[in-house]
Amino acid sequence: MTTLVPFDKALAAYDPAMGLEVHVELNTNSKMFCGCPTEFGAEPNTQVCPTCLGLPGALPVVNHKAVESAIRIGLALNCEIAEWCRFARKNYFYPDMPKNFQTSQYDEPIAFEGYMDVEVEGETFRVEIERAHMEEDTGKSLHVGGATGRIHGADYSLVDYNRAGIPLIEIVTKPIIGAGEKAPLVAKAYVAQLRDLIVALGVSDARMDQGSIRADVNLSLAPKGSDKLGTRSETKNVNSLRSVERAVRFEVSRHAGILNEGGKVVQETRHFHEDTGETTSGREKSDAEDYRYFPEPDLVPVAPSREWVEELRGTLPENPTAKKTRLQVEYGFTDLEMRDVWAAGALPLIEATVGEGVAPQSARKWWVAELLRRANDAGVELAEVGVTPAQVAAVQKLVDAKTINDKLARQVFDGLIADEGTPEEIIEKRGLALVSDDGPLIAAIDDALAAQPDLVEKIKGGNMGAIGAIMGAVMKATRGQADAGRARELILEKLGLS
Amino acid sequence: MPEISRDEVAHLADLARIDLSDAELDHLAPQLAKILESVASISAAVSDDVPATSHPIPLTNVFRDDVVTPGLTAEEALAMAPATDQQRFSVPRILGDEQ
Ligand SMILES: [Zn+2]
């Protein structure tokens, strides 16, 4: 086992180069080459037909909507769109593809030569896109008999082909060089911004936790100042933004360890483990990587007319950088607030929450001050914290209606994260509603006033600061469920001061 | 003149998961070379200005609308499988790796 070199030390001696391959599962109704449905979570092998099962004689036909989504993704990534391109067979023998080949694109991708500018800590990095191509997803294998989920030691595999044939767009970057110590953050920011772009385009569910966006992280190190690329490792299926960052970090430390010991990095695929943050060796790259690509004879070429491409360009969402500037002005966020919002990945969430009718500052407060802390505690991204913009809006409406206050709202969020139902149900179940009936409130006020006659005198004498102590006693007696404004009114009323 | 060596044939057999003995390789490698040679005669029949095609009909952009059409039930899909378990196709332990 190689000694890991601490990240900072590794970066003092080596320059990292990264390549990111992101697979985006499109949200079309039907599959790439057949009319089977694409819904997530269906019973095994209920969304299949002769085409996606690779039965003899079945012929594929390309899904128009999938090509449209591919072109829109390409355009949003500032790519050229091919005037003419073909599908190709990627031949390999593995039961997750019943045809014994995956229909993909090889040397003629639909989109190529683009870029995406990503922002990390106020600095902009341009990530160049080599290509975005169309292909189909594979089936899902369940390995039985060995260690759970993994192949080693499995006695047999069970395959579900519901996912086989769902349209995928694979987006491949050129080597990302020069990010230095920021490499892990650049990788994470790229995938995050790409996800936001995909959401804005509306072409995918964009759920990393359900595998609708999956990232492969390629990494190599070269001695500082050298312009040669080192041997790379390919870490497959990194399924959260945080894991993208951690996978880069770990591989930098691991490569540096090997190189420091005078060893050679093996070109191989590796698996990332969410629990430990480490990668382990998968398969060594070898002759098995020889896919014998050739043009797919069952499909005709795709030749998008320039009119169609321009029409699709007209459907693109606002450029993310321009949008960020516009929203900051619209929402009245300070630069500092905006930096925190951006770093937290909260802007799309705040935008959606504002879209549900919440004031921007309230939306910001919940996402960045309250929910971000919970996301950090749970080690997940803000978008994956378990609360949706619609739920935040529902909670804010309950605060506005004085059903609950901010403090109780936090407990409602606890309930939402624990999946206890709607905000209303949680308030009911947890008994969180503010005491809106004056009866118990008046009783608590009477008790508090009777208990502290000296304070009553002070207030009557004009020392309004003393109200705070009475309020404290009232809130305590009502376990924080009193409406503070109403309590204050009633206290003043009682003392004949209103 | 296309050539294919015995080593290349062995490599192809390996990729195709076909277990060939030395004797079979000795026997098949020259045959495959002969087949390639015959196919290559097509290139002699066309001039340089004829582009290579991957489809016999000069069509582009044949698409279907993104509409769900009925497929097979799980029972139908699994009917011809040699082995099934948990409504899935059961296959022998896989060598190599996940894709
Ligand atoms: Zn199908």
Side-chain angles (χ1 to χ4, degrees):
Chain A
M1 178 72 195
T2 311
T3 322
L4 297 174
V5 175
F7 184 74
D8 296 351
K9 279 215 177 105
L11 267 295
Y14 301 99
D15 287 325
M18 297 185 295
L20 296 161
E21 294 172 18
V22 176
H23 288 87
V24 177
E25 209 177 72
L26 298 181
N27 60 359
T28 50
N29 297 321
S30 63
K31 291 187 178 180
M32 186 78 211
F33 304 113
C34 63
C36 289
T38 55
E39 267 150 61
F40 182 81
E43 289 296 306
N45 295 303
T46 53
Q47 303 186 155
V48 293
C49 75
T51 301
C52 57
L53 285 177
L55 300 186
L59 286 173
V61 189
V62 176
N63 183 334
H64 183 263
K65 175 84 181 183
V67 178
E68 182 182 293
S69 296
I71 294 172
R72 292 180 71 232
I73 290 173
L75 290 172
L77 291 169
N78 306 293
C79 288
E80 303 286 325
I81 304 301
E83 301 207 11
W84 190 90
C85 65
R86 285 178 296 190
F87 287 95
R89 290 188 180 185
K90 178 182 180 181
N91 298 282
Y92 67 92
F93 291 84
Y94 196 81
D96 64 4
M97 274 273 88
K99 298 182 289 188
N100 281 344
F101 61 85
Q102 180 187 32
T103 308
S104 180
Q105 292 194 289
Y106 183 46
D107 50 355
E108 298 164 0
I110 184 132
F112 51 94
E113 299 285 330
Y115 65 87
M116 179 189 246
D117 287 330
V118 301
E119 198 191 302
V120 172
E121 293 172 341
E123 207 182 328
T124 302
F125 288 87
R126 174 155 293 189
V127 174
E128 298 199 60
I129 309 292
E130 184 171 297
R131 56 189 280 154
H133 71 251
M134 302 180 279
E135 60 183 33
E136 58 182 333
D137 211 343
T138 60
K140 260 189 193 162
S141 309
L142 200 71
H143 306 295
V144 183
T148 38
R150 289 284 167 214
I151 285 196
H152 302 288
D155 296 315
Y156 57 105
S157 302
L158 299 178
V159 198
D160 167 15
Y161 290 115
N162 283 349
R163 200 180 66 180
I166 290 184
L168 286 183
I169 305 300
E170 180 175 341
I171 301 159
V172 183
T173 69
K174 292 189 177 168
I176 304 167
I177 300 162
E181 58 180 22
K182 285 190 180 164
L185 291 177
V186 169
K188 180 184 168 190
Y190 166 72
V191 179
Q193 264 181 248
L194 184 57
R195 183 194 62 188
D196 292 348
L197 187 68
I198 296 298
V199 169
L201 285 164
V203 294
S204 167
D205 298 340
R207 291 277 302 266
M208 290 192 87
D209 58 332
Q210 289 184 356
S212 51
I213 294 189
R214 311 194 280 272
D216 296 347
V217 176
N218 301 339
L219 185 118
S220 66
L221 293 184
K224 246 187 163 26
S226 145
D227 54 1
K228 273 173 113 187
L229 293 175
T231 305
R232 72 171 194 266
S233 59
E234 304 179 8
T235 306
K236 295 281 178 195
N237 291 339
V238 186
N239 288 336
S240 75
L241 294 178
R242 199 168 94 96
S243 298
V244 170
E245 179 184 343
R246 291 166 84 206
V248 172
R249 227 167 234 286
F250 181 83
E251 281 299 285
V252 164
S253 295
R254 189 181 69 86
H255 282 225
I258 295 170
L259 297 171
N260 279 2
E261 286 164 13
K264 267 196 176 142
V265 174
V266 181
Q267 188 172 343
E268 62 181 354
T269 59
R270 297 185 69 83
H271 300 296
F272 181 75
H273 303 279
E274 300 272 347
D275 47 351
T276 58
E278 296 182 354
T279 67
T280 54
S281 180
R283 158 179 49 113
E284 208 167 306
K285 290 274 172 177
S286 66
D287 291 347
E289 281 295 285
D290 189 344
Y291 293 120
R292 301 275 151 167
Y293 283 95
F294 63 84
E296 168 57 65
D298 287 343
L299 292 168
V300 301
V302 174
S305 73
R306 296 304 96 178
E307 292 74 31
W308 189 27
V309 171
E310 288 317 306
E311 189 189 312
L312 292 175
R313 197 190 298 278
T315 69
L316 294 187
E318 189 179 3
N319 167 298
T321 315
K323 180 171 182 175
K324 186 178 156 212
T325 312
R326 176 176 65 79
L327 287 181
Q328 185 179 352
V329 173
E330 246 177 68
Y331 294 169
F333 291 169
T334 65
D335 286 351
L336 191 66
E337 284 171 347
M338 196 61 185
R339 212 176 70 190
D340 290 346
V341 164
W342 189 255
L347 194 56
L349 299 165
I350 290 173
E351 194 195 2
T353 309
V354 170
E356 300 272 347
V358 175
Q361 284 294 0
S362 300
R364 188 187 65 78
K365 177 186 73 184
W366 291 126
W367 286 110
V368 178
E370 184 61 28
L371 295 169
L372 179 62
R373 183 175 51 76
R374 291 156 194 267
N376 289 341
D377 288 349
V380 298
E381 290 304 313
L382 190 54
E384 295 153 8
V385 75
V387 177
T388 65
Q391 288 172 328
V392 171
V395 169
Q396 182 58 42
K397 281 192 186 104
L398 291 164
V399 173
D400 291 342
K402 297 206 156 86
T403 307
I404 49 171
N405 55 23
D406 280 11
K407 200 173 144 212
L408 294 169
R410 293 193 182 101
Q411 296 185 49
V412 176
F413 286 127
D414 289 337
L416 287 170
I417 289 166
D419 230 351
E420 290 172 18
T422 66
E424 286 84 357
E425 286 164 1
I426 293 162
I427 289 169
E428 175 75 31
K429 270 187 222 160
R430 295 193 171 206
L432 299 178
L434 282 174
V435 176
S436 54
D437 174 5
D438 283 350
L441 189 51
I442 289 170
I445 289 169
D446 286 343
D447 288 349
L449 293 175
Q452 312 199 61
D454 48 327
L455 287 177
V456 172
E457 287 314 308
K458 277 188 187 165
I459 297 167
K460 282 185 172 165
N463 180 355
M464 294 315 242
I467 288 184
I470 299 288
M471 289 279 291
V474 170
M475 294 311 273
K476 199 173 166 199
T478 57
R479 297 194 328 264
Q481 282 169 269
D483 173 356
R486 181 70 188 139
R488 191 185 165 91
E489 271 171 32
L490 287 169
I491 293 168
L492 293 172
E493 217 170 274
K494 286 262 165 200
L495 300 177
L497 295 171
S498 62
Chain B
M1 180 60 71
E3 273 180 42
I4 187 159
S5 68
R6 190 177 178 282
D7 284 350
E8 280 173 291
V9 176
H11 172 57
L12 285 173
D14 190 43
L15 286 176
R17 306 288 189 270
I18 299 170
D19 199 10
L20 291 183
S21 67
D22 278 354
E24 284 169 319
L25 276 174
D26 289 338
H27 181 63
L28 290 171
Q31 289 192 6
L32 202 51
K34 200 79 193 158
I35 292 167
L36 285 179
E37 204 181 301
S38 307
V39 173
S41 59
I42 291 170
S43 31
V46 293
S47 56
D48 289 345
D49 57 351
V50 178
T53 55
S54 57
H55 201 277
I57 308 163
L59 275 176
T60 57
N61 298 335
V62 176
F63 300 130
R64 38 173 275 276
D65 287 339
D66 181 27
V67 173
V68 171
T69 52
L72 301 172
T73 63
E75 294 68 42
E76 288 169 333
L78 294 164
M80 284 167 289
T84 68
D85 188 7
Q86 300 171 42
Q87 208 171 303
R88 292 168 170 89
F89 292 83
S90 180
V91 298
R93 191 191 130 154
I94 299 149
L95 298 170
D97 207 344
E98 284 160 289
Q99 290 294 318

